[in-house]
Amino acid sequence: MVILGIETSCDETAAAVVKDGREILSNIVASSQEMHVKTGGIIPERAAREQVKSIIPVIDAAMANAKCKMANVDAIAVTVGPGLIGSLLVGVETAKTMAWVWNKPIVPVNHLMGHIYANWLEDRTKTIDHRDKDTEPKLPAVVLVVSGGHTDLVLMKGHGKIEWIGGTRDDAAGEAFDKTARLLGLGYPGGPAIAAEAAKFEIRNTKYEIKLPRPLMDDKTFDFSFSGLKTAVAREVQKIPTAQRPKSLVAHVSYEVQEAIADVLVAKTLRAAKEYKVPTILLAGGVAANTRLREKFASEIKNLDLDFDLDFRAPPPLLCTDNASFIASFAAYNFRPVTWQKIAPNPGLTVAGEV
Ligand code: KG4
Ligand code: ZN
């Protein structure tokens, strides 16, 4: 089955053609990120206006790269939420029009569920932690979904069988990266900027101790809380007199923030995997592209004394952040088309919410 995926939930305009839920025939992402760098974040109306301009060229490019004609497309999949209403509307209205004109089935997709399916796409980059790249992940799995606006832990018992077991009470993990980056005067999006600074930091050169909390790490629930991190960072920096702040301070703080976020995410996810005795842990969402987080998962799993096998998987970094290939993949594994008249954006959708 060949599916054309369309994704416009945030600042990206993306289209992809995917065969049988796993093989990426094309994957085009246009981003208005450069525009948002200047403002330190997304201005929703400006993002949507850019998306109106790029949606048709992006779909055309995806079809051309896949060497595909509409006659070869079996269905259209589109993100209906969560996301920015103006941005979602661009993708949804385009997909509905195409479904009507070409008489194709259309599948509404929950963006957060879509992220999870990046773990089902074949890895052409061969960069990742998969032990056996050609097999599909074994279910049930504990899935950590960490994006710019959401942080959720879910138990995935099967395709379409999702149980929410915990999530953030305030800021998402990606938001914590983005907000601290802004505080430190780094670019947008904050995650990659913090990761790049953190990589420059050398522990042995440090004169100051920066101690950040690990919020809710030992708490019995599977909840998270990241809103205090930004304040903690500001407090730690203010402790050092301005004249005495070393050049390496930004790198040092970035390193500590990344450690704090990763420690909490890894600890809670591993505890969930142990408690539910699942064979698989899956990472999903933009923050899953973080190298340190992936390394920590891989090394901490090795240190666990388990009486069952536990496989850890994360998608190739380029497929972690927003793109349409995972939207098409989700639709192939959860093929529930609806008539185009019934599709509408749903900005407040949650990970286990029905589209
Ligand atoms: O999933 P995503 O692309 O968009 C949403 O659905 O929100 O996630 C974007 C988030 C941003 O907060 C960004 O800072 C973060 O993912 N991110 C990262 C990395 N790459 C993107 N965070 C940490 N390390 C990265 N390498
Ligand atoms: Zn996303």
Side-chain angles (χ1 to χ4, degrees):
M1 177 183 278
V2 173
I3 297 187
L4 167 67
I6 297 176
E7 153 67 43
T8 61
S9 64
C10 195
D11 58 342
E12 272 89 12
T13 309
V17 181
V18 175
K19 193 174 166 201
D20 299 330
R22 302 202 67 207
E23 190 186 341
I24 300 177
L25 303 183
S26 68
N27 193 14
I28 306 287
V29 183
S31 169
S32 53
Q33 220 165 64
E34 268 173 34
M35 195 173 80
H36 308 306
V37 169
K38 292 182 200 127
T39 47
I42 299 168
I43 298 178
E45 289 76 11
R46 294 185 66 186
R49 237 176 284 145
E50 287 305 305
Q51 284 164 317
V52 170
K53 284 190 236 160
S54 48
I55 184 83
I56 302 293
V58 163
I59 293 173
D60 280 347
M63 294 295 287
N65 276 17
K67 297 190 176 54
C68 191
K69 295 214 165 60
M70 272 320 280
N72 315 117
V73 169
D74 297 301
I76 296 170
V78 64
T79 300
V80 293
L84 304 167
I85 181 68
S87 296
L88 288 167
L89 265 170
V90 177
V92 167
E93 292 307 314
T94 308
K96 281 163 80 167
T97 311
M98 289 182 73
W100 175 64
V101 171
W102 296 96
N103 195 22
K104 300 286 178 191
I106 181 166
V107 181
V109 181
N110 178 331
H111 177 82
L112 297 169
M113 284 303 302
H115 266 299
I116 298 174
Y117 281 79
N119 287 290
W120 267 262
L121 292 161
E122 280 173 0
D123 178 29
R124 295 269 179 85
T125 61
K126 309 282 178 211
T127 55
I128 53 169
D129 322 318
H130 289 188
R131 280 183 210 156
D132 179 350
K133 299 179 182 75
D134 291 328
T135 60
E136 296 185 27
K138 263 198 209 130
L139 296 177
V142 159
V143 190
L144 175 68
V145 184
V146 267
S147 72
H150 295 81
T151 295
D152 291 292
L153 258 181
V154 298
L155 179 64
M156 183 173 178
K157 294 178 179 164
H159 297 292
K161 292 192 189 115
I162 295 288
E163 194 181 301
W164 184 86
I165 57 176
T168 186
R169 295 181 185 169
D170 39 59
D171 288 357
E175 205 172 346
F177 274 111
D178 294 337
K179 285 183 175 171
T180 341
R182 200 177 314 158
L183 186 85
L184 296 173
L186 300 173
Y188 174 87
I194 295 255
E197 280 298 319
K200 295 181 198 161
F201 178 64
E202 289 176 44
I203 295 174
R204 62 194 151 80
N205 287 344
T206 171
K207 277 197 200 138
Y208 298 95
E209 205 184 31
I210 292 176
K211 272 196 167 168
L212 296 178
R214 305 293 190 263
L216 299 183
M217 188 150 100
D218 301 315
D219 161 271
K220 285 193 193 72
T221 68
F222 292 115
D223 285 352
F224 301 90
S225 167
F226 291 111
S227 68
L229 266 183
K230 193 185 74 158
T231 326
V233 166
R235 209 175 36 232
E236 288 295 302
V237 172
Q238 274 154 15
K239 271 191 205 160
I240 310 167
T242 316
Q244 288 174 31
R245 288 181 193 164
K247 262 197 191 153
S248 61
L249 188 65
V250 170
H252 189 174
V253 174
S254 299
Y255 173 84
E256 297 296 343
V257 167
Q258 183 172 256
E259 291 299 302
I261 295 174
D263 280 348
V264 179
L265 293 174
V266 171
K268 289 250 159 161
T269 310
L270 293 191
R271 195 156 60 71
K274 268 203 267 183
E275 197 167 310
Y276 289 95
K277 285 200 169 219
V278 290
T280 311
I281 287 179
L282 299 177
L283 278 193
V287 179
N290 187 275
T291 310
R292 183 72 183 123
L293 177 67
R294 300 159 77 107
E295 280 170 6
K296 253 192 212 273
F297 263 110
S299 67
E300 294 285 315
I301 285 173
K302 275 196 200 124
N303 295 336
L304 287 178
D305 187 21
L306 295 175
D307 54 3
F308 59 93
D309 281 341
L310 181 57
D311 186 19
F312 163 66
R313 294 184 178 212
L318 280 176
L319 297 182
C320 289
T321 46
D322 288 351
N323 70 87
S325 66
F326 57 64
I327 298 300
S329 173
F330 172 90
Y333 284 94
N334 302 269
F335 194 70
R336 285 188 291 277
V338 298
T339 52
W340 64 264
Q341 291 92 335
K342 289 211 168 134
I343 296 198
N346 186 350
L349 205 54
T350 58
V351 67
E354 291 288 316
V355 290

